[in-house]
Amino acid sequence: MTISLTHIALHVKDLRACVEFYQQYAGLNIIRERRPQGIDGKPIVWMAETGKEHDFILVMLPGGPEKYQQSNDFSHLGFAMTSKQAVDDIALRAKQDGILVWPCKQEPYPVGYYCGIKDPDGNFVEFSFGQPLGPGAE
């Protein structure tokens, strides 16, 4: 039996703000936007990295509750970057936008170099370099 992780679905309070965040910070593209059947059908947005539209997607569902993730809660979505400088750049931008939650930090392998920022819905998002996944993997 073959099993493959294909998506994560987030129930978000502010769909448009979250979509814009993941476009601007993570470079994700909208690959599908649909409305379920019925008069109250709210849009559901599928997002993916360019070239990975059939491998893994992030699904955004509207109408979720507001989240209050504490800074010592390390639940997060993780994005690999191509360099430490790219992580530094994201951290600087997030600090200017008032959403930096974990300043840049170097940890032993396999954690690598990372920072954490908060999306508009309160989810933490890690940007890293030097992990054994994605760009910069050993």
Side-chain angles (χ1 to χ4, degrees), residues 106-127:
Q106 179 70 54
E107 297 265 355
Y109 182 86
V111 177
Y113 188 70
Y114 69 92
C115 72
I117 67 179
K118 188 184 299 187
D119 78 10
D121 206 54
N123 298 298
F124 289 0
V125 183
E126 177 191 87
F127 292 90

Side-chain angles (χ1 to χ4, degrees), residues 39-90:
I39 195 163
D40 292 332
K42 295 179 181 174
I44 296 171
V45 177
W46 292 17
M47 302 185 78
E49 295 175 59
T50 300
K52 297 188 179 181
E53 298 87 350
H54 300 287
D55 299 325
F56 189 81
I57 64 170
L58 183 59
V59 179
M60 300 277 184
L61 306 161
E66 192 165 352
K67 296 180 185 85
Y68 298 100
Q69 188 170 343
Q70 297 182 7
S71 62
N72 64 348
D73 176 352
F74 293 102
S75 303
H76 64 274
L77 299 174
F79 290 88
M81 306 296 288
T82 56
S83 67
K84 283 185 173 183
Q85 184 61 54
V87 175
D88 288 338
D89 293 346
I90 288 277

